[in-house]
Amino acid sequence: MSEGAEGKALDEKAESKDMNEEKVQIEQLQQQTADLRDALDKQMAQTREYLDAARRITAEFDNYRKRAAKDREEIIKSSNDKLIAELLIIYDDLERALASNSSAEEFRKGVNQIHLNLGALLKSYGLREIPANDKFDPSLHEALSIGEGEDGKILEVYQKGYCLGPRVLRHSKVKVGIKPETTNTE
């Protein structure tokens, strides 16, 4: 073999080796690409599952919220029904009192008894009168006027206030004492 032919054969052999290495690299890259595609498909499938689960949970929570609001409305309605049914008894008593031909004293006694019954009913629902014989408390009282007296002491109650449990339904409307200013006149 001549030197030129031998060199050409070596070049072809080296080129063939390079091509084989490139072919192996391409196959490895194709395998990596296929593996990455499989991993991506699995991640996408898992993402869709999570998204579906999130949508189901959101829908279930929305339904729960609607159901809870509806239940709350029903509880309020049934509570009102019970209170109104009990108030109707007192309303009937008032009608009987107004329709009676009793003396003024008997009428007064009857109305007084109805008043006591109404007070007992309201108390059974947790209503309590706000005491107004002490110091002024802006969380319980509303000052309508001021007068000369001990500083912060309630001098007069214009309208009683009431609490239902811990909540104030109506503030007591009161007159509050204020210490008169002393002026130095020398």
Side-chain angles (χ1 to χ4, degrees):
M1 191 177 289
S2 67
E3 250 180 60
E6 193 173 309
K8 187 175 179 184
L10 284 176
D11 286 344
E12 285 176 1
K13 191 174 181 180
E15 190 175 308
S16 174
K17 184 179 177 187
D18 288 343
M19 285 181 66
N20 283 338
E21 286 176 7
E22 285 178 0
K23 188 175 179 181
V24 168
Q25 283 180 346
I26 288 171
E27 287 172 1
Q28 287 175 344
L29 288 173
Q30 286 174 337
Q31 184 61 41
Q32 285 177 350
T33 302
D35 291 345
L36 287 173
R37 189 170 289 136
D38 288 344
L40 180 63
D41 289 345
K42 287 178 185 173
Q43 289 296 320
M44 291 298 289
Q46 195 171 26
T47 300
R48 281 191 291 272
E49 286 177 25
Y50 290 152
L51 188 60
D52 288 344
R55 286 180 180 146
R56 275 195 310 274
I57 290 169
T58 300
E60 288 172 7
F61 183 71
D62 192 42
N63 288 338
Y64 164 76
R65 227 180 27 214
K66 289 176 184 174
R67 216 175 24 252
K70 189 176 178 180
D71 290 347
R72 194 173 37 249
E73 284 177 22
E74 287 299 318
I75 289 170
I76 290 169
K77 283 180 185 174
S78 67
S79 296
N80 288 342
D81 292 349
K82 183 180 176 203
L83 177 61
I84 288 171
E86 292 183 35
L87 285 173
L88 284 175
I89 296 169
I90 294 170
Y91 182 74
D92 293 341
D93 290 344
L94 280 172
E95 278 188 340
R96 279 192 291 275
L98 291 172
S100 73
N101 290 326
S102 57
S103 68
E105 184 58 29
E106 289 172 336
F107 182 76
R108 183 176 163 70
K109 281 175 137 180
V111 170
N112 190 40
Q113 186 59 46
I114 293 169
H115 179 258
L116 291 174
N117 291 344
L118 180 59
L121 173 67
L122 294 174
K123 192 174 182 178
S124 73
Y125 276 86
L127 188 75
R128 64 180 173 82
E129 188 178 322
I130 295 173
N133 54 359
D134 202 14
K135 288 282 185 185
F136 176 75
D137 180 352
S139 67
L140 301 172
H141 308 113
E142 180 181 345
L144 293 184
S145 65
I146 55 172
E148 199 172 297
E150 185 181 327
D151 229 12
K153 183 168 177 64
I154 295 173
L155 301 176
E156 187 176 347
V157 178
Y158 297 122
Q159 186 179 45
K160 294 178 182 177
Y162 293 95
C163 289
L164 186 61
R167 294 178 292 126
V168 174
L169 285 183
R170 183 176 74 191
H171 291 80
S172 299
K173 294 181 177 25
V174 297
K175 180 178 185 179
V176 181
I178 187 166
K179 192 174 183 178
E181 288 184 28
T182 55
T183 55
N184 289 337
T185 54
E186 290 184 24

